[in-house]
Amino acid sequence: MPDATILGIESSCDETGAAVVRSGQQILSNVVASQIATHQPYGGVVPELASREHLRAIIPVVRQALAEAQQTYESVDAIAVTQGPGLAGSLLVGISFAKALAFALEKPLIAVNHLEGHIHAVLLEQRQAGNSELEFPVLALVVSGGHTHLYLARAEGNSWTHENVGHTRDDAAGEAFDKVAKLLGLGYPGGPIIDRLAPHGDSAAVKFQTSQIKHRDRRDHGRPGAVSDQPRFDFSYSGIKTAVLRYVETHQLGPAIEARRQALSEIEKPMLDDYLHLCGRETLDLVASFQRSMVEDLVTKTLAAAREYDVETLFVSGGVAANQELRATFAREAEMQGLPVFFPSRSLSTDNAAMIAAAAFPKFLAQEFVPMNFSAEAGMALGGSRSS
Ligand code: KG4
Ligand code: ZN
């Protein structure tokens, strides 16, 4: 198999990333410029500000990635960039820059689906660790701020096929973490904060109902005469967010939340002790119970899908895959089912460009290059779908 050194560029949301990866299996550099400080005062990503920050960061980030990898613009074999899904304005910054580089350097340009990138984050690190024995099919849960998607992933020669067998009907899991944290005056992004606070509360204190959405997809998926009767495993997280809101109202937590929001806004870089000091027992219990419900729902549905589709391997990737309780619960429960489960390292769970450069390698081998007039696809889907 020929070698290829690929420069990857990622700018789909609020991280500007550039990375150099050799042949989908060796990270030479992986640089991420986070915009958390920019969006924090607004409690969420502001698309216009995100585009502006990407414009500021893209050149230094790419230069740093090349320098750390001891590469030059000329020495890389191809440029890979996230095409979607994501924020249109943010995607365009990365895409325009990648196009300009590819054009000026006369290098091939590869467009990568961000979700495929998250799946390849796992493969990249497994290969880097020397594990080339992964068994297929793989069920991949991509769980992030924008997505809660289940894919059946199969390798066919150099190319990959992905089939969607479940997705969220409303909020993504990361979005629920972020909204609940915002609601409780804990700041943005909510996932990492809730992750650190949850072990300090009683996860059995508040009972939340999560939705049961398992159904059969009875559409004809284009196969002559075929009517699909495949089960789907969908998620829904807007209900739990509303339940937390109702709890806050019925337990009159409003004034304490406002005081905490104010106090945290006055601390430049709040530490865990600051949060703990500003959260009463009731709030810690609420946070712990919320996280436990989210984790149980994600794990239960994913493992049910794994059984139904009789997969050999499980991947869990995307920002929420950094969550410690989610990792521990998946590891424990999947082991009980005899199912190997793989996560990316925590830094490769959240958005980065190494996963984009890695996902581009099979496309490089297949010479799947894009023309200079390709465009961002904000709502880009991945693979075939068994969606309803
Ligand atoms: O993959 P990612 O960096 O960006 C998207 O593609 O969305 O995921 C970001 C999301 C945010 O919602 C963030 O709150 C969540 O991942 N997240 C976490 C953790 N770290 C990041 N959620 C739970 N626990 C964490 N440790
Ligand atoms: Zn992502």
Side-chain angles (χ1 to χ4, degrees):
M1 196 184 284
D3 262 349
T5 303
I6 298 180
L7 169 66
I9 295 175
E10 153 66 35
S11 68
S12 65
C13 190
D14 60 344
E15 324 270 9
T16 317
V20 182
V21 176
R22 184 166 290 143
S23 306
Q25 58 183 343
Q26 189 190 3
I27 301 178
L28 302 184
S29 65
N30 185 26
V31 180
V32 178
S34 165
Q35 303 179 1
I36 286 178
T38 305
H39 303 291
Q40 210 146 31
Y42 305 94
V45 178
V46 183
E48 290 78 5
L49 297 184
S51 314
R52 193 189 70 190
E53 292 301 309
H54 284 305
L55 274 173
R56 276 203 192 133
I58 190 104
I59 294 176
V61 164
V62 170
R63 281 193 182 144
Q64 191 184 334
L66 288 171
E68 284 180 14
Q70 298 185 315
Q71 297 287 321
T72 62
Y73 285 122
E74 287 73 26
S75 68
V76 297
D77 296 304
I79 319 287
V81 66
T82 306
Q83 181 176 15
L87 300 169
S90 291
L91 289 164
L92 276 174
V93 177
I95 290 175
S96 310
F97 191 71
K99 278 185 186 174
L101 278 185
F103 181 71
L105 300 167
E106 298 182 16
K107 306 273 184 190
L109 184 59
I110 300 166
V112 175
N113 184 306
H114 181 82
L115 300 168
E116 189 172 5
H118 276 301
I119 296 172
H120 276 263
V122 184
L123 288 165
L124 163 61
E125 286 189 317
Q126 289 306 314
R127 290 196 181 116
Q128 191 156 267
N131 178 9
S132 49
E133 302 291 305
L134 292 172
E135 294 200 42
F136 297 94
V138 167
L139 180 70
L141 170 67
V142 181
V143 59
S144 70
H147 300 90
T148 308
H149 280 47
L150 279 171
Y151 295 101
L152 282 177
R154 294 184 180 86
E156 284 172 14
N158 280 332
S159 51
W160 280 79
T161 61
H162 305 91
E163 189 175 1
N164 180 263
V165 295
H167 62 75
T168 179
R169 296 286 187 88
D170 39 54
D171 290 354
E175 194 177 352
F177 272 91
D178 292 339
K179 286 179 175 168
V180 164
K182 188 175 179 184
L183 186 69
L184 297 177
L186 294 169
Y188 167 87
I193 303 166
I194 290 179
D195 189 359
R196 286 189 298 152
L197 288 178
H200 298 270
D202 173 6
S203 58
V206 188
K207 296 271 169 270
F208 290 113
Q209 292 282 332
T210 42
S211 54
Q212 294 304 318
I213 314 174
K214 182 183 171 191
H215 64 101
R216 298 209 165 248
D217 180 4
R218 299 190 187 280
R219 290 190 321 169
D220 179 340
H221 288 275
R223 291 183 290 273
V227 173
S228 168
D229 198 17
Q230 297 291 342
R232 289 188 51 81
F233 295 84
D234 284 349
F235 305 86
S236 165
Y237 295 119
S238 75
I240 190 166
K241 175 193 65 190
T242 312
V244 173
L245 175 63
R246 210 166 300 127
Y247 185 95
V248 163
E249 286 167 357
T250 52
H251 291 74
Q252 279 115 34
L253 299 182
I257 289 172
E258 206 31 62
R260 177 162 53 240
R261 186 174 288 130
Q262 183 61 33
L264 284 171
S265 72
E266 287 162 12
I267 305 172
E268 198 187 334
K269 258 190 174 241
M271 311 297 286
L272 179 59
D273 276 349
D274 296 315
Y275 287 106
L276 288 173
H277 178 68
L278 292 165
C279 290
R281 164 92 3 238
E282 202 169 18
T283 302
L284 291 173
D285 288 351
L286 182 60
V287 163
S289 303
F290 162 76
Q291 180 170 286
R292 171 60 57 87
S293 291
M294 294 296 294
V295 165
E296 274 179 359
D297 188 69
L298 286 164
V299 172
T300 307
K301 287 195 179 124
T302 303
L303 290 182
R307 279 192 299 274
E308 183 78 37
Y309 286 101
D310 203 14
V311 300
E312 298 292 336
T313 309
L314 188 60
F315 285 5
V316 183
S317 189
V320 182
N323 187 276
Q324 299 182 58
E325 188 178 350
L326 186 74
R327 284 175 176 248
T329 311
F330 258 122
R332 194 180 59 236
E333 304 280 321
E335 193 186 335
M336 274 161 47
Q337 285 194 19
L339 188 64
V341 55
F342 298 95
F343 310 89
S345 61
R346 288 173 69 129
S347 64
L348 249 61
S349 296
T350 48
D351 288 351
N352 67 87
M355 66 187 199
I356 302 303
F361 181 59
K363 300 182 198 297
F364 179 86
L365 294 178
Q367 302 216 339
E368 253 180 68
F369 305 136
V370 284
M372 280 298 157
N373 63 355
F374 95 98
S375 193
E377 240 189 85
M380 195 174 188
L382 174 62
S385 169
R386 287 176 177 176
S387 61
S388 51

